[in-house]
Structure formats: structure tokens, C-alpha cells
């Protein structure tokens, strides 16, 4: 009984403390109807940045049933901050053969910082069931 109370207590405190959000820092929310007017999300793709802890920001707008951009080339060795949101429903964001695996939710901004130090082609795919086109939902990430 004691351990159950402790366990529920931990869940309760962490829910209040972190809001159970999927990301740890930076801007966390964007309304789907504001995506096209937003200075970050109106311009999806790979962008070089200066003065940050990463070399590039890779912005994705995700919707049923595609990723925008549908194809990305990343220079080998780059440290990339992936920034993504959904227009409609919950989607997955898994880059096969890497540790990148996020949930993309409408209204939220999900981020992941990753250094791409192996050349090759990587499949970005949706691993959350999101409707009839789920199985075809993918993008291609090429590290060159
Ligand atoms: Cu998007 Cu499954």
C-alpha cells in the first residue's frame, strides 16, 4: 500500500512539474492553424544556424500522410536540432537505425538533437497509427 501511494505520488508530482510534455526545453506549443504564419514552421527544411549548440535546425511539418520536407540531405558530421509539429493527429517520427524516435502531436512542438556522423540513407517513418495512409507515411534522410 505504501509503495502504491509513493508511486502515485511520483506520477502526480511529475505530471505537475513537467506537464508530461514530450520535450524538455524551448518553445513547446503551436496551434495547428498558426503553422503557416509561424516564422519557423512556415519554412520547413534544413537551415544553417549560428551561435547555437547545433549546426542546423531541421524543421518538419507533419500531417496525414506525409512529412514536409519529404526528402532531406544532411552534411555528414552535422549536429542537427529536429523541430517538428503536426497539423492534424498524433504521428510518429522514427529515423530507422538511429535513436531518433518522437511522438508528434498537434499543438505541440517536439525536438530532438542528433549528430549525423554516418553517411547513408535513412528512412523516416511514422510509428503511430494515424489512419488509412499510415503505412505509406515516410520521408528520406540522406547523410552526405
Ligand atoms: Cu502518421 Cu502513422
Amino acid at each position: 500500500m505504501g509503495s502504491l501511494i509513493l508511486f502515485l505520488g511520483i506520477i502526480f508530482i511529475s505530471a505537475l512539474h513537467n506537464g508530461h510534455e514530450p520535450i524538455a526545453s524551448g518553445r513547446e506549443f503551436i496551434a495547428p492553424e498558426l503553422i503557416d504564419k509561424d516564422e519557423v514552421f512556415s519554412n520547413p527544411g534544413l537551415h544553417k544556424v549560428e551561435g547555437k549548440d547545433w549546426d542546423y535546425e531541421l524543421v518538419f511539418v507533419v500531417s496525414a500522410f506525409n512529412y514536409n520536407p519529404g526528402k532531406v540531405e544532411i552534411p555528414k558530421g552535422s549536429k542537427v536540432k529536429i523541430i517538428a509539429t503536426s497539423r492534424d493527429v498524433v504521428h510518429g517520427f522514427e529515423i530507422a537505425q538511429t535513436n531518433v524516435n518522437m511522438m508528434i502531436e498537434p499543438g505541440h512542438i517536439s525536438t530532438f538533437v542528433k549528430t549525423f556522423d554516418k553517411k547513408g540513407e535513412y528512412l523516416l517513418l511514422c510509428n503511430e497509427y494515424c489512419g488509412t495512409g499510415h503505412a505509406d507515411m515516410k520521408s528520406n534522410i540522406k547523410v552526405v
Side-chain angles (χ1 to χ4, degrees):
M1 193 63 188
S3 59
L4 181 64
I5 290 169
L6 178 71
F7 186 63
L8 290 174
I10 290 169
I11 292 175
F12 183 70
I13 290 165
S14 69
L16 290 181
H17 187 70
N18 300 325
H20 269 230
E21 298 305 335
I23 48 167
S25 66
R27 193 161 62 120
E28 298 186 12
F29 306 103
I30 179 160
E33 60 271 24
L34 299 180
I35 287 174
D36 294 321
K37 295 177 204 148
D38 187 77
E39 61 172 320
V40 172
F41 289 105
S42 61
N43 190 16
L46 188 70
H47 308 290
K48 184 101 181 103
V49 294
E50 304 288 340
K52 296 194 178 173
D53 289 342
W54 42 86
D55 308 308
Y56 290 90
E57 289 178 348
L58 176 52
V59 178
F60 273 96
V61 176
V62 185
S63 58
F65 298 98
N66 63 73
Y67 294 93
N68 182 12
K71 210 175 187 184
V72 189
E73 279 197 4
I74 299 172
K76 184 183 162 231
S78 311
K79 191 173 181 184
V80 178
K81 183 176 188 179
I82 301 165
I83 304 168
T85 192
S86 168
R87 276 187 197 283
D88 40 40
V89 296
V90 175
H91 295 280
F93 191 106
E94 178 181 350
I95 303 178
Q97 299 169 286
T98 74
N99 61 343
V100 179
N101 193 350
M102 299 191 279
M103 194 186 264
I104 313 296
E105 297 172 81
H108 293 261
I109 298 171
S110 302
T111 63
F112 198 109
V113 177
K114 166 84 182 162
T115 301
F116 291 88
D117 42 25
K118 258 178 87 180
K119 273 191 188 183
E121 287 200 38
Y122 298 84
L123 181 66
L124 164 60
L125 55 94
C126 183
N127 59 9
E128 294 278 341
Y129 183 74
C130 54
T132 51
H134 165 72
D136 300 319
M137 194 166 162
K138 47 185 167 262
S139 174
N140 183 273
I141 293 181
K142 201 171 177 183
V143 180
V144 293

